[in-house]
């Protein structure tokens, strides 16, 4: 069975920029599972209707359609137990759930106002009106206004990374000596930003930046090879 992943794409088909889809790309590589990705745009709701919801990532495994990055990670762990573990056991799975939720709120939520205007530059023409309307509602501001505020907001975002930074000062990965799903859950948002924004989110000597380098190099440079900005 070939696994199929609906993966958010921009105007250029190769620009894949969803933080949640990147978690799944990394998890699949960790599990050593080949995947066929299908470029998907925000407004192509019919293509994923079989998943019973409207967002990506959506993984198709045989006749099963699985939505949501966390559900997909659990599916891969349970359905393919022979591959390397994504959680390192039941306790690791439970703790990874916290990391995933923290990443959704602190990382995606913290980065969103910083990079939203840059996302708009890269979304497909047919998605632009939908993206602007839905995201300006979420921002409570125009995309242009969010861009003006971002220099003043960046230090606050960097300070919010304190727990991640303190951990990565002492160990190379959230998983310890080797990466686990928790690393992919936290890395997804950084890869999202990298794929669509020239903004330098991190100082180069930040331990978080050094961990990001390791994640970009993982699996033969899978994430590094994706169209994006430096680093
Ligand atoms: N909780 C979901 C979130 C998925 C999500 O928000 N995906 C975005 C792309 S980054 C999406 O498909 N948005 C569609 C839309 O805004 O209409 C997960 O972890 O997979």
């Amino acid at each position: 069975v070939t696994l199929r992943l609906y993966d958010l794409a921009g105007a250029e088909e190769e620009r894949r920029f969803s933080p949640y889809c990147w978690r799944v790309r990394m998890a699949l590589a960790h599990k050593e599972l080949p995947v066929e990705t299908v470029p998907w745009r925000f407004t192509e709701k019919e293509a994923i209707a079989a998943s019973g919801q409207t967002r990506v990532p959506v993984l198709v495994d045989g006749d099963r359609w699985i939505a949501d990055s966390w559900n997909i990670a659990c599916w891969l762990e349970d359905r393919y137990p022979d591959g390397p573990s994504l959680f390192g056991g039941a306790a690791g799975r439970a703790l990874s759930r916290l990391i995933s939720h923290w990443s959704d709120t602190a990382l995606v939520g913290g980065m969103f106002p910083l990079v939203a205007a840059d996302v708009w530059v890269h979304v497909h023409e047919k998605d632009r009106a939908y993206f602007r309307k839905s995201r300006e509602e979420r921002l409570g501001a125009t995309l242009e206004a969010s861009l003006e505020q971002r220099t003043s907001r960046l230090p606050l975002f960097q300070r919010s990374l304190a727990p991640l930074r303190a951990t990565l000062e002492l160990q190379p990965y959230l998983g310890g000596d080797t990466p686990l799903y928790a690393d992919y859950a936290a890395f997804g948002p950084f890869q999202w930003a990298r794929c669509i924004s020239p903004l330098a989110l991190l100082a180069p000597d930040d331990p978080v930046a050094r961990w990001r380098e390791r994640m970009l190099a993982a699996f033969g440079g899978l994430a590094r090879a994706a169209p994006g900005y430096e680093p």
Side-chain angles (χ1 to χ4, degrees):
V1 179
T2 312
L3 297 173
R4 200 160 84 238
L5 178 70
Y6 286 86
D7 192 15
L8 183 65
E12 307 142 88
E13 195 170 283
E14 289 316 308
R15 193 174 301 268
R16 307 297 175 87
F17 61 92
S18 159
Y20 309 106
C21 293
W22 271 106
R23 289 176 177 169
V24 174
R25 294 281 299 279
M26 300 293 280
L28 285 159
H30 180 106
K31 279 285 190 190
E32 298 166 4
L33 293 166
V35 66
E36 186 184 292
T37 65
V38 183
W40 180 89
R41 271 73 181 220
F42 286 107
T43 47
E44 296 174 355
K45 302 298 186 198
E46 342 67 60
I48 56 166
S51 70
Q53 52 86 68
T54 60
R55 297 192 282 180
V56 292
V58 168
L59 184 77
V60 187
D61 187 349
D63 58 359
R64 295 288 301 263
W65 289 64
I66 307 116
D68 188 85
S69 55
W70 177 259
N71 288 339
I72 294 171
C74 291
W75 170 266
L76 295 176
E77 185 77 345
D78 297 337
R79 171 86 175 71
Y80 302 96
D82 296 338
S85 173
L86 284 167
F87 301 121
R93 183 185 305 224
L95 293 169
S96 299
R97 183 174 259 145
L98 169 70
I99 301 290
S100 180
H101 283 304
W102 170 79
S103 172
D104 293 352
T105 51
L107 298 183
V108 179
M111 287 180 204
F112 180 65
L114 304 175
V115 303
D118 295 328
V119 179
W120 189 79
V121 171
H122 288 291
V123 297
H124 195 281
E125 186 77 45
K126 68 179 181 181
D127 283 353
R128 286 196 158 176
Y130 168 77
F131 181 86
R132 178 179 284 277
K133 185 173 185 300
S134 57
R135 272 44 180 185
E136 289 187 341
E137 275 167 21
R138 203 181 291 174
L139 285 164
T142 62
L143 292 171
E144 289 72 17
S146 74
L147 194 56
E148 277 166 32
Q149 288 168 9
R150 78 175 175 188
T151 336
S152 61
R153 279 179 162 153
L154 186 57
L156 187 66
F157 168 73
Q158 290 178 338
R159 278 201 296 281
S160 78
L161 302 178
L164 187 60
R165 183 172 299 119
T167 305
L168 295 170
E169 259 164 8
L170 300 173
Q171 60 193 59
Y173 299 102
L174 298 179
D177 291 334
T178 56
L180 288 176
Y181 185 72
D183 289 275
Y184 312 137
F187 173 69
F190 287 100
Q191 176 69 351
W192 163 51
R194 180 184 177 275
C195 288
I196 46 79
S197 179
L199 179 69
L201 283 175
L202 302 168
D205 61 345
D206 188 329
V208 180
R210 290 201 283 262
W211 162 81
R212 182 179 59 182
E213 283 297 314
R214 292 191 279 278
M215 301 305 288
L216 287 167
F219 313 119
L222 173 68
R224 167 92 66 205
Y229 296 81
E230 281 304 302

